[in-house]
Amino acid sequence: MHFSGFRVIKEALTGHKGWKPLWRNPDPQPSYDYIIIGGGGHGLATAYYLARTFGQARIAVLEKGWLGQGNIGRNTTIIRSNYLLPGNEPFYEFSMKLWEGLEQEFNFNAMISQRGVLNLYHTDAQRDAFRRRGNAMLLAGADAELLDAAGVRAMAPFLNFDNARFPIKGGLLQRRGGTVRHDGVAWGYARGADMRGVDLIQNCEVTGFRIEEGRILGVETSRGYIGAKKVGVAVAGSTGRVMQMAGMRLPIESHVLQAFVTEGLKPVIPGVITFGAGHFYVSQSDKGGLVFGGDLDGYNSYAQRGNLPVIEDVAEGGMAVMPMIGRARLLRSWGGIMDMSMDGSPIIDRTHIEGLYLNAGWCYGGFKATPASGYAFAHLLAKDAPHDTARGYRLDRFARGHVIDEKGVGAAPNLH
Amino acid sequence: MLIPHPLLGLRDAQEFTYLGDARLIERPDGMAAGAEAVFADYVYLRDNPAGVHRELWFHEQGDRSWLVVTRDTVTHEIISAELARDVAMRGKGGAA
Ligand SMILES: Cc1cc2nc3c(=O)[nH]c(=O)nc-3n(C[C@H](O)[C@H](O)[C@H](O)COP(=O)(O)OP(=O)(O)OC[C@H]3O[C@@H](n4cnc5c(N)ncnc54)[C@H](O)[C@@H]3O)c2cc1C
Protein backbone atom coordinates (compact mmCIF):
# COMPACT_ATOMS: atom_id res chain seq x y z
CA MET A 1 0.00 0.00 0.00
CA HIS A 2 1.57 3.26 -1.16
CA PHE A 3 0.65 6.53 0.54
CA SER A 4 0.18 9.64 -1.60
CA GLY A 5 -1.93 12.75 -1.80
CA PHE A 6 -3.94 11.10 -4.58
CA ARG A 7 -4.57 8.10 -2.35
CA VAL A 8 -5.80 10.27 0.52
CA ILE A 9 -8.29 12.03 -1.76
CA LYS A 10 -9.44 8.75 -3.28
CA GLU A 11 -10.04 7.24 0.17
CA ALA A 12 -11.83 10.37 1.31
CA LEU A 13 -14.22 10.04 -1.61
CA THR A 14 -14.83 6.31 -1.11
CA GLY A 15 -15.49 6.21 2.62
CA HIS A 16 -11.95 5.25 3.74
CA LYS A 17 -12.63 1.59 3.04
CA GLY A 18 -9.34 0.89 1.26
CA TRP A 19 -6.87 1.36 4.14
CA LYS A 20 -5.13 -1.84 5.23
CA PRO A 21 -3.20 -2.75 8.41
CA LEU A 22 0.38 -1.48 8.19
CA TRP A 23 1.98 -4.85 8.93
CA ARG A 24 1.17 -8.55 9.06
CA ASN A 25 0.98 -10.36 12.39
CA PRO A 26 2.90 -13.59 11.70
CA ASP A 27 3.67 -16.51 14.00
CA PRO A 28 7.36 -17.17 14.65
CA GLN A 29 9.23 -19.50 12.25
CA PRO A 30 11.52 -22.19 13.73
CA SER A 31 14.64 -20.21 12.81
CA TYR A 32 15.93 -17.00 11.23
CA ASP A 33 19.19 -15.58 9.90
CA TYR A 34 18.79 -12.50 12.08
CA ILE A 35 16.74 -11.98 15.20
CA ILE A 36 16.39 -8.48 16.65
CA ILE A 37 15.16 -8.42 20.23
CA GLY A 38 13.05 -5.34 21.01
CA GLY A 39 10.36 -3.78 18.83
CA GLY A 40 11.20 -0.20 19.76
CA GLY A 41 12.49 2.46 17.41
CA HIS A 42 16.03 1.11 17.33
CA GLY A 43 15.04 -2.54 16.83
CA LEU A 44 12.58 -1.73 14.04
CA ALA A 45 15.02 0.62 12.30
CA THR A 46 17.70 -2.07 12.50
CA ALA A 47 15.40 -4.63 10.90
CA TYR A 48 14.39 -2.14 8.22
CA TYR A 49 17.96 -1.29 7.18
CA LEU A 50 19.02 -4.95 7.41
CA ALA A 51 16.16 -5.99 5.12
CA ARG A 52 16.95 -3.16 2.73
CA THR A 53 20.54 -4.35 2.46
CA PHE A 54 19.65 -8.06 2.28
CA GLY A 55 16.36 -8.70 0.60
CA GLN A 56 16.95 -12.45 0.89
CA ALA A 57 17.72 -12.83 4.57
CA ARG A 58 15.14 -14.18 7.01
CA ILE A 59 14.75 -11.52 9.68
CA ALA A 60 12.51 -11.29 12.73
CA VAL A 61 11.88 -8.67 15.40
CA LEU A 62 10.72 -10.11 18.73
CA GLU A 63 8.78 -7.74 20.98
CA LYS A 64 7.50 -8.71 24.41
CA GLY A 65 4.47 -6.41 24.21
CA TRP A 66 3.26 -4.39 21.25
CA LEU A 67 5.47 -2.51 18.79
CA GLY A 68 6.38 0.88 20.14
CA GLN A 69 5.25 0.30 23.72
CA GLY A 70 8.63 1.32 25.16
CA ASN A 71 10.60 4.53 25.13
CA ILE A 72 9.91 5.25 21.49
CA GLY A 73 6.29 5.82 22.52
CA ARG A 74 7.14 7.73 25.71
CA ASN A 75 9.73 10.31 24.83
CA THR A 76 9.55 14.06 24.31
CA THR A 77 10.36 13.67 20.58
CA ILE A 78 13.27 16.09 20.32
CA ILE A 79 15.82 15.59 17.55
CA ARG A 80 19.08 17.55 17.27
CA SER A 81 22.74 17.03 16.49
CA ASN A 82 24.29 19.59 18.83
CA TYR A 83 26.91 17.31 20.36
CA LEU A 84 30.50 18.22 21.07
CA LEU A 85 32.85 15.24 21.08
CA PRO A 86 34.36 13.63 17.98
CA GLY A 87 32.99 10.20 18.97
CA ASN A 88 29.45 11.60 19.07
CA GLU A 89 28.89 14.58 16.78
CA PRO A 90 29.38 12.88 13.39
CA PHE A 91 27.04 10.07 14.45
CA TYR A 92 24.23 12.40 15.52
CA GLU A 93 24.68 14.53 12.39
CA PHE A 94 24.45 11.34 10.30
CA SER A 95 21.19 10.64 12.13
CA MET A 96 19.94 14.16 11.38
CA LYS A 97 20.62 13.68 7.68
CA LEU A 98 18.70 10.40 7.74
CA TRP A 99 15.78 12.14 9.48
CA GLU A 100 15.73 14.72 6.71
CA GLY A 101 15.15 12.10 4.02
CA LEU A 102 13.21 9.60 6.08
CA GLU A 103 9.61 10.28 5.15
CA GLN A 104 10.34 10.15 1.44
CA GLU A 105 12.37 7.03 1.92
CA PHE A 106 9.86 4.95 3.82
CA ASN A 107 6.79 6.68 2.34
CA PHE A 108 5.27 7.43 5.72
CA ASN A 109 4.40 10.67 7.46
CA ALA A 110 6.44 10.87 10.66
CA MET A 111 5.68 14.59 11.01
CA ILE A 112 9.34 15.54 11.04
CA SER A 113 9.33 19.19 11.98
CA GLN A 114 12.61 21.10 11.91
CA ARG A 115 11.33 23.95 14.03
CA GLY A 116 14.66 24.61 15.72
CA VAL A 117 16.29 23.74 19.04
CA LEU A 118 17.46 26.62 21.22
CA ASN A 119 19.75 26.00 24.22
CA LEU A 120 19.82 28.99 26.58
CA TYR A 121 22.96 30.28 28.26
CA HIS A 122 23.25 32.41 31.36
CA THR A 123 26.91 33.25 31.91
CA ASP A 124 29.93 34.29 29.87
CA ALA A 125 31.59 30.94 30.55
CA GLN A 126 28.55 29.06 29.30
CA ARG A 127 28.47 31.25 26.18
CA ASP A 128 32.10 30.34 25.47
CA ALA A 129 31.34 26.65 25.96
CA PHE A 130 28.41 26.94 23.54
CA ARG A 131 30.58 28.78 21.03
CA ARG A 132 32.99 25.86 21.16
CA ARG A 133 30.15 23.37 20.80
CA GLY A 134 28.76 25.33 17.85
CA ASN A 135 32.16 25.21 16.16
CA ALA A 136 32.42 21.46 16.73
CA MET A 137 29.00 21.11 15.10
CA LEU A 138 30.00 23.21 12.09
CA LEU A 139 33.16 21.14 11.67
CA ALA A 140 31.05 17.98 11.49
CA GLY A 141 28.80 19.49 8.83
CA ALA A 142 25.92 20.44 11.12
CA ASP A 143 24.43 23.92 11.50
CA ALA A 144 24.75 26.18 14.54
CA GLU A 145 24.11 29.82 15.37
CA LEU A 146 25.03 31.69 18.52
CA LEU A 147 22.35 34.20 19.54
CA ASP A 148 22.69 37.08 21.97
CA ALA A 149 19.92 38.09 24.36
CA ALA A 150 18.24 40.28 21.74
CA GLY A 151 18.26 37.37 19.29
CA VAL A 152 16.57 35.10 21.83
CA ARG A 153 14.09 37.84 22.75
CA ALA A 154 13.04 38.14 19.12
CA MET A 155 12.24 34.39 19.03
CA ALA A 156 10.80 33.87 22.47
CA PRO A 157 9.84 37.15 24.17
CA PHE A 158 7.93 35.30 26.88
CA LEU A 159 11.03 33.91 28.59
CA ASN A 160 12.14 35.21 31.97
CA PHE A 161 15.21 37.19 30.87
CA ASP A 162 15.83 38.88 34.21
CA ASN A 163 15.80 35.84 36.45
CA ALA A 164 18.06 36.79 39.38
CA ARG A 165 19.94 33.50 39.37
CA PHE A 166 19.93 32.56 35.70
CA PRO A 167 19.48 35.71 33.58
CA ILE A 168 19.19 34.76 29.90
CA LYS A 169 22.21 36.09 27.99
CA GLY A 170 21.64 34.24 24.73
CA GLY A 171 21.40 30.80 23.23
CA LEU A 172 22.84 28.26 20.83
CA LEU A 173 20.37 27.63 18.04
CA GLN A 174 20.27 24.65 15.73
CA ARG A 175 17.62 25.46 13.16
CA ARG A 176 17.63 21.95 11.70
CA GLY A 177 16.76 20.45 15.08
CA GLY A 178 13.15 19.97 16.04
CA THR A 179 10.57 17.32 16.82
CA VAL A 180 9.17 14.17 15.20
CA ARG A 181 5.97 12.23 15.77
CA HIS A 182 7.54 9.39 17.75
CA ASP A 183 4.86 6.75 17.12
CA GLY A 184 5.00 7.62 13.43
CA VAL A 185 8.68 6.67 13.40
CA ALA A 186 7.99 3.25 14.92
CA TRP A 187 5.09 2.62 12.56
CA GLY A 188 6.97 3.84 9.51
CA TYR A 189 9.94 1.59 10.19
CA ALA A 190 7.66 -1.33 11.12
CA ARG A 191 5.71 -0.97 7.88
CA GLY A 192 8.89 -0.60 5.84
CA ALA A 193 10.43 -3.70 7.43
CA ASP A 194 7.25 -5.73 7.03
CA MET A 195 7.04 -4.79 3.35
CA ARG A 196 10.57 -6.15 2.93
CA GLY A 197 9.59 -9.48 4.48
CA VAL A 198 10.62 -8.99 8.10
CA ASP A 199 8.47 -10.94 10.58
CA LEU A 200 7.38 -8.54 13.34
CA ILE A 201 6.39 -10.81 16.20
CA GLN A 202 4.53 -9.18 19.06
CA ASN A 203 3.73 -10.61 22.51
CA CYS A 204 6.91 -12.66 22.29
CA GLU A 205 9.20 -12.09 25.25
CA VAL A 206 12.76 -13.36 25.10
CA THR A 207 13.34 -15.32 28.30
CA GLY A 208 16.78 -16.79 27.67
CA PHE A 209 19.60 -17.41 25.23
CA ARG A 210 20.83 -20.75 23.95
CA ILE A 211 24.60 -20.47 23.87
CA GLU A 212 26.98 -23.34 23.16
CA GLU A 213 30.78 -23.15 23.17
CA GLY A 214 30.68 -19.39 23.14
CA ARG A 215 28.31 -19.18 20.17
CA ILE A 216 24.67 -18.13 20.04
CA LEU A 217 22.24 -20.71 18.63
CA GLY A 218 18.95 -19.01 19.29
CA VAL A 219 16.63 -17.57 21.90
CA GLU A 220 14.07 -18.98 24.33
CA THR A 221 10.84 -17.02 24.19
CA SER A 222 7.37 -17.02 25.69
CA ARG A 223 6.32 -18.55 22.33
CA GLY A 224 8.95 -21.27 22.28
CA TYR A 225 12.52 -21.66 21.10
CA ILE A 226 13.59 -19.81 17.96
CA GLY A 227 16.92 -20.50 16.28
CA ALA A 228 19.09 -17.74 14.84
CA LYS A 229 22.48 -17.25 13.22
CA LYS A 230 22.84 -13.76 14.64
CA VAL A 231 20.98 -12.03 17.44
CA GLY A 232 20.93 -8.27 17.99
CA VAL A 233 19.67 -6.91 21.30
CA ALA A 234 18.02 -3.45 21.28
CA VAL A 235 15.84 -3.41 24.39
CA ALA A 236 16.65 0.07 25.79
CA GLY A 237 15.85 0.19 29.54
CA SER A 238 15.72 -3.61 29.80
CA THR A 239 19.33 -4.09 28.66
CA GLY A 240 20.61 -5.03 32.12
CA ARG A 241 17.88 -7.63 32.59
CA VAL A 242 18.21 -9.18 29.14
CA MET A 243 22.01 -9.34 28.99
CA GLN A 244 22.09 -10.86 32.46
CA MET A 245 20.49 -13.89 30.82
CA ALA A 246 23.62 -14.15 28.69
CA GLY A 247 25.74 -13.89 31.83
CA MET A 248 26.94 -10.35 31.11
CA ARG A 249 27.41 -7.43 33.49
CA LEU A 250 27.40 -4.06 31.76
CA PRO A 251 28.35 -0.45 32.42
CA ILE A 252 24.64 0.36 32.69
CA GLU A 253 22.02 1.22 35.30
CA SER A 254 18.30 1.50 34.58
CA HIS A 255 16.65 4.76 35.63
CA VAL A 256 13.21 6.30 35.17
CA LEU A 257 12.69 9.56 33.29
CA GLN A 258 9.36 11.34 33.34
CA ALA A 259 7.60 13.46 30.74
CA PHE A 260 4.65 15.82 30.95
CA VAL A 261 2.02 17.26 28.67
CA THR A 262 -0.46 20.08 29.17
CA GLU A 263 -3.87 20.73 27.68
CA GLY A 264 -3.89 21.91 24.06
CA LEU A 265 -3.10 25.60 23.57
CA LYS A 266 -2.80 27.93 20.61
CA PRO A 267 0.72 28.05 19.14
CA VAL A 268 2.97 29.80 21.68
CA ILE A 269 6.38 28.13 21.53
CA PRO A 270 8.25 28.49 18.25
CA GLY A 271 10.57 25.49 18.56
CA VAL A 272 12.27 23.48 21.26
CA ILE A 273 13.66 25.52 24.16
CA THR A 274 16.05 24.03 26.68
CA PHE A 275 17.02 25.53 30.02
CA GLY A 276 20.05 23.46 30.93
CA ALA A 277 20.84 25.27 34.16
CA GLY A 278 17.50 24.30 35.68
CA HIS A 279 17.21 21.19 33.53
CA PHE A 280 13.94 21.84 31.77
CA TYR A 281 13.08 21.43 28.09
CA VAL A 282 9.85 22.23 26.35
CA SER A 283 8.24 22.14 22.93
CA GLN A 284 4.67 22.30 21.64
CA SER A 285 3.05 19.38 19.92
CA ASP A 286 1.02 19.78 16.75
CA LYS A 287 -2.10 19.23 18.84
CA GLY A 288 -1.08 22.22 20.99
CA GLY A 289 0.01 20.49 24.19
CA LEU A 290 3.19 21.75 25.82
CA VAL A 291 5.48 18.74 26.07
CA PHE A 292 8.22 19.00 28.64
CA GLY A 293 10.58 17.16 30.93
CA GLY A 294 13.63 17.52 33.12
CA ASP A 295 15.75 15.38 35.39
CA LEU A 296 15.81 11.66 35.98
CA ASP A 297 14.33 10.45 39.24
CA GLY A 298 17.95 9.59 39.98
CA TYR A 299 17.99 6.06 41.41
CA ASN A 300 17.72 2.62 39.81
CA SER A 301 14.16 1.95 38.74
CA TYR A 302 12.16 -0.41 36.57
CA ALA A 303 8.81 1.20 37.45
CA GLN A 304 7.40 2.87 34.35
CA ARG A 305 6.21 5.70 36.53
CA GLY A 306 8.01 8.39 38.47
CA ASN A 307 7.75 9.97 41.89
CA LEU A 308 6.29 13.34 42.91
CA PRO A 309 9.46 15.24 43.94
CA VAL A 310 10.72 15.24 40.36
CA ILE A 311 7.36 16.51 39.08
CA GLU A 312 7.73 19.42 41.50
CA ASP A 313 11.34 20.00 40.45
CA VAL A 314 10.48 20.04 36.73
CA ALA A 315 7.55 22.39 37.33
CA GLU A 316 9.85 24.74 39.26
CA GLY A 317 12.34 24.72 36.38
CA GLY A 318 9.53 25.56 33.98
CA MET A 319 8.25 28.40 36.13
CA ALA A 320 11.75 29.84 36.51
CA VAL A 321 12.42 30.15 32.79
CA MET A 322 8.89 30.53 31.42
CA PRO A 323 6.51 31.88 34.06
CA MET A 324 3.51 31.79 31.71
CA ILE A 325 3.59 27.99 31.84
CA GLY A 326 2.03 28.28 35.29
CA ARG A 327 -1.30 29.12 33.62
CA ALA A 328 -1.40 25.82 31.71
CA ARG A 329 -3.10 22.74 33.15
CA LEU A 330 -1.04 19.57 33.24
CA LEU A 331 -2.94 16.71 31.64
CA ARG A 332 -0.63 13.75 31.97
CA SER A 333 2.76 12.55 33.16
CA TRP A 334 4.42 9.20 32.65
CA GLY A 335 7.81 7.52 32.93
CA GLY A 336 10.11 5.50 30.72
CA ILE A 337 13.03 3.28 31.71
CA MET A 338 16.37 4.18 30.25
CA ASP A 339 19.66 2.38 30.27
CA MET A 340 21.98 4.99 31.70
CA SER A 341 25.55 4.20 30.67
CA MET A 342 28.58 5.13 32.72
CA ASP A 343 29.77 7.86 30.35
CA GLY A 344 26.37 8.90 29.02
CA SER A 345 27.11 7.58 25.52
CA PRO A 346 25.71 4.57 23.68
CA ILE A 347 27.11 1.12 22.94
CA ILE A 348 26.89 -0.51 19.50
CA ASP A 349 29.16 -3.53 19.49
CA ARG A 350 29.64 -7.26 19.33
CA THR A 351 29.79 -9.16 22.59
CA HIS A 352 32.28 -11.86 23.55
CA ILE A 353 29.59 -14.39 22.58
CA GLU A 354 29.83 -15.07 18.87
CA GLY A 355 26.72 -14.02 17.02
CA LEU A 356 25.38 -11.88 19.88
CA TYR A 357 25.37 -8.10 19.33
CA LEU A 358 24.41 -5.22 21.58
CA ASN A 359 22.77 -1.86 20.97
CA ALA A 360 22.33 -0.06 24.30
CA GLY A 361 23.16 2.78 26.65
CA TRP A 362 21.09 5.48 24.94
CA CYS A 363 20.38 7.24 28.22
CA TYR A 364 17.70 9.80 27.61
CA GLY A 365 18.82 11.03 24.23
CA GLY A 366 18.29 7.98 22.08
CA PHE A 367 15.21 8.98 20.12
CA LYS A 368 17.12 11.39 17.87
CA ALA A 369 19.54 8.54 17.22
CA THR A 370 16.88 6.11 15.96
CA PRO A 371 17.74 6.20 12.22
CA ALA A 372 21.53 6.21 12.67
CA SER A 373 21.37 3.62 15.43
CA GLY A 374 19.35 1.28 13.22
CA TYR A 375 21.63 1.92 10.27
CA ALA A 376 24.85 1.41 12.23
CA PHE A 377 23.56 -1.66 14.05
CA ALA A 378 22.40 -3.23 10.77
CA HIS A 379 25.84 -2.47 9.33
CA LEU A 380 27.52 -4.20 12.26
CA LEU A 381 25.23 -7.24 12.14
CA ALA A 382 25.63 -7.62 8.40
CA LYS A 383 29.33 -6.93 7.98
CA ASP A 384 30.76 -7.64 11.41
CA ALA A 385 32.45 -4.24 11.22
CA PRO A 386 31.38 -1.00 12.87
CA HIS A 387 29.81 1.77 10.79
CA ASP A 388 32.20 4.71 10.37
CA THR A 389 30.21 7.05 12.57
CA ALA A 390 29.84 4.51 15.40
CA ARG A 391 33.45 3.44 15.85
CA GLY A 392 33.69 5.05 19.27
CA TYR A 393 30.76 3.10 20.69
CA ARG A 394 32.73 0.01 21.64
CA LEU A 395 31.85 -1.93 24.75
CA ASP A 396 35.42 -2.14 25.99
CA ARG A 397 36.02 1.62 25.84
CA PHE A 398 35.59 1.88 29.61
CA ALA A 399 38.37 -0.59 30.35
CA ARG A 400 40.56 1.00 27.64
CA GLY A 401 40.04 4.50 29.00
CA HIS A 402 38.37 5.77 25.82
CA VAL A 403 35.07 6.87 27.32
CA ILE A 404 32.95 9.43 25.45
CA ASP A 405 32.04 11.58 28.41
CA GLU A 406 30.03 14.37 26.78
CA LYS A 407 28.91 15.86 30.09
CA GLY A 408 32.15 15.29 31.95
CA VAL A 409 30.56 13.66 34.98
CA GLY A 410 32.38 10.35 34.75
CA ALA A 411 31.05 7.07 35.94
CA ALA A 412 27.93 8.52 37.59
CA PRO A 413 25.07 7.44 35.33
CA ASN A 414 22.39 9.29 37.28
CA LEU A 415 24.16 12.59 36.49
CA HIS A 416 24.28 12.19 32.72
CA MET B 1 9.70 7.63 49.23
CA LEU B 2 10.42 7.51 52.95
CA ILE B 3 13.69 5.96 54.11
CA PRO B 4 13.70 4.37 57.60
CA HIS B 5 16.96 5.86 58.93
CA PRO B 6 18.25 3.57 61.73
CA LEU B 7 18.99 6.55 64.03
CA LEU B 8 16.56 9.23 62.90
CA GLY B 9 13.46 7.28 61.90
CA LEU B 10 11.50 7.85 58.70
CA ARG B 11 13.10 10.54 56.53
CA ASP B 12 12.03 11.88 53.13
CA ALA B 13 14.20 10.44 50.33
CA GLN B 14 14.61 14.03 49.12
CA GLU B 15 17.07 14.64 51.96
CA PHE B 16 19.42 12.06 50.44
CA THR B 17 21.62 11.79 47.40
CA TYR B 18 22.03 8.49 45.63
CA LEU B 19 25.29 6.79 44.76
CA GLY B 20 24.33 3.34 43.48
CA ASP B 21 25.03 -0.32 44.11
CA ALA B 22 26.09 -1.00 47.72
CA ARG B 23 28.88 -3.22 46.42
CA LEU B 24 30.82 0.01 45.92
CA ILE B 25 31.71 -0.37 49.61
CA GLU B 26 33.98 -3.25 48.68
CA ARG B 27 36.68 -1.15 47.06
CA PRO B 28 39.43 -3.37 45.64
CA ASP B 29 43.08 -3.08 46.67
CA GLY B 30 44.78 -0.76 44.18
CA MET B 31 48.20 -2.22 44.98
CA ALA B 32 47.30 -5.86 44.35
CA ALA B 33 48.40 -7.69 41.21
CA GLY B 34 45.89 -7.25 38.38
CA ALA B 35 44.36 -4.21 40.08
CA GLU B 36 43.79 -2.40 36.78
CA ALA B 37 41.24 -4.88 35.45
CA VAL B 38 39.60 -5.27 38.84
CA PHE B 39 39.24 -1.49 39.11
CA ALA B 40 37.73 -1.16 35.63
CA ASP B 41 35.04 -3.62 36.72
CA TYR B 42 34.60 -1.87 40.05
CA VAL B 43 34.19 1.58 38.53
CA TYR B 44 32.07 0.75 35.50
CA LEU B 45 30.23 -2.57 35.69
CA ARG B 46 26.98 -3.02 37.59
CA ASP B 47 24.43 -5.65 38.43
CA ASN B 48 21.22 -3.99 37.37
CA PRO B 49 18.46 -6.15 38.86
CA ALA B 50 14.73 -5.64 38.43
CA GLY B 51 13.68 -6.36 42.01
CA VAL B 52 15.57 -6.21 45.28
CA HIS B 53 18.65 -3.98 45.14
CA ARG B 54 21.05 -2.90 47.89
CA GLU B 55 22.24 0.64 47.34
CA LEU B 56 24.09 3.55 48.93
CA TRP B 57 22.22 6.70 49.95
CA PHE B 58 23.96 9.73 51.55
CA HIS B 59 21.93 11.72 54.09
CA GLU B 60 23.33 14.95 52.75
CA GLN B 61 20.67 17.26 54.14
CA GLY B 62 20.52 15.40 57.43
CA ASP B 63 23.15 13.80 59.62
CA ARG B 64 25.50 13.21 56.67
CA SER B 65 25.64 9.48 57.28
CA TRP B 66 25.83 6.90 54.51
CA LEU B 67 23.13 4.24 54.51
CA VAL B 68 22.76 0.90 52.80
CA VAL B 69 19.14 0.88 51.67
CA THR B 70 17.47 -2.28 50.42
CA ARG B 71 14.82 -1.34 47.89
CA ASP B 72 12.67 -2.95 45.22
CA THR B 73 13.47 -1.27 41.89
CA VAL B 74 10.16 -2.40 40.37
CA THR B 75 7.77 -1.20 43.09
CA HIS B 76 9.96 1.46 44.81
CA GLU B 77 9.20 -0.29 48.12
CA ILE B 78 11.91 0.27 50.73
CA ILE B 79 12.61 -2.89 52.65
CA SER B 80 15.31 -1.83 55.11
CA ALA B 81 18.08 0.65 55.85
CA GLU B 82 21.25 0.32 57.92
CA LEU B 83 24.31 2.45 58.51
CA ALA B 84 26.86 1.82 55.76
CA ARG B 85 29.54 1.92 58.44
CA ASP B 86 28.03 -1.14 60.13
CA VAL B 87 27.84 -2.96 56.82
CA ALA B 88 31.46 -2.11 56.02
CA MET B 89 32.69 -3.23 59.45
CA ARG B 90 30.82 -6.49 59.10
CA GLY B 91 32.44 -6.99 55.69
CA LYS B 92 35.87 -6.58 57.25
CA GLY B 93 34.96 -9.04 60.00
CA GLY B 94 35.07 -6.26 62.62
CA ALA B 95 32.64 -5.75 65.46
CA ALA B 96 29.71 -3.67 64.35
C1 LIG C 1 10.35 10.55 29.14
C2 LIG C 1 11.40 10.38 28.09
C3 LIG C 1 11.74 11.45 27.27
C4 LIG C 1 12.72 11.28 26.27
N1 LIG C 1 12.97 12.33 25.43
C5 LIG C 1 13.83 12.17 24.40
C6 LIG C 1 14.01 13.22 23.46
O1 LIG C 1 13.35 14.27 23.53
N2 LIG C 1 14.93 13.06 22.47
C7 LIG C 1 15.67 11.92 22.37
O2 LIG C 1 16.51 11.84 21.48
N3 LIG C 1 15.48 10.88 23.23
C8 LIG C 1 14.57 10.98 24.24
N4 LIG C 1 14.36 9.93 25.12
C9 LIG C 1 15.16 8.70 24.98
C10 LIG C 1 14.64 7.76 23.90
O3 LIG C 1 13.25 7.64 23.97
C11 LIG C 1 15.29 6.38 24.04
O4 LIG C 1 16.68 6.47 24.18
C12 LIG C 1 15.03 5.50 22.82
O5 LIG C 1 13.68 5.56 22.47
C13 LIG C 1 15.43 4.07 23.11
O6 LIG C 1 15.40 3.21 21.99
P1 LIG C 1 14.12 2.35 21.53
O7 LIG C 1 13.16 3.30 20.90
O8 LIG C 1 14.51 1.23 20.71
O9 LIG C 1 13.59 1.80 22.92
P2 LIG C 1 12.20 1.14 23.29
O10 LIG C 1 11.10 1.76 22.51
O11 LIG C 1 12.10 1.17 24.78
O12 LIG C 1 12.39 -0.34 22.74
C14 LIG C 1 12.83 -1.44 23.48
C15 LIG C 1 11.80 -2.53 23.32
O13 LIG C 1 12.34 -3.76 23.81
C16 LIG C 1 11.28 -4.51 24.34
N5 LIG C 1 11.80 -5.55 25.22
C17 LIG C 1 12.41 -5.41 26.43
N6 LIG C 1 12.75 -6.60 26.94
C18 LIG C 1 12.36 -7.55 26.03
C19 LIG C 1 12.43 -8.97 25.98
N7 LIG C 1 12.99 -9.68 26.99
N8 LIG C 1 11.93 -9.61 24.90
C20 LIG C 1 11.36 -8.90 23.85
N9 LIG C 1 11.27 -7.56 23.87
C21 LIG C 1 11.75 -6.89 24.93
C22 LIG C 1 10.44 -3.47 25.07
O14 LIG C 1 9.11 -3.91 25.29
C23 LIG C 1 10.52 -2.27 24.11
O15 LIG C 1 9.43 -2.19 23.22
C24 LIG C 1 13.39 10.05 26.13
C25 LIG C 1 13.04 8.98 26.95
C26 LIG C 1 12.04 9.13 27.92
C27 LIG C 1 11.66 7.95 28.77
Side-chain angles (χ1 to χ4, degrees), chain A residues 121 123-135 146:
Chain A
Y121 64 80
T123 64
D124 292 351
Q126 219 186 349
R127 179 200 59 217
D128 293 350
F130 276 7
R131 187 184 294 276
R132 178 172 171 231
R133 179 178 293 265
N135 286 338
L146 199 67

Side-chain angles (χ1 to χ4, degrees), chain A residues 3 14 23 37 45 54 84 103 127 167 181 195 204 236 263-264 333 353 364 371:
Chain A
F3 290 109
T14 55
W23 52 82
I37 307 175
F54 302 104
L84 172 71
E103 292 172 325
R127 179 200 59 217
R181 171 78 199 276
M195 276 163 50
C204 182
E263 60 193 325
S333 73
I353 297 157
Y364 50 95

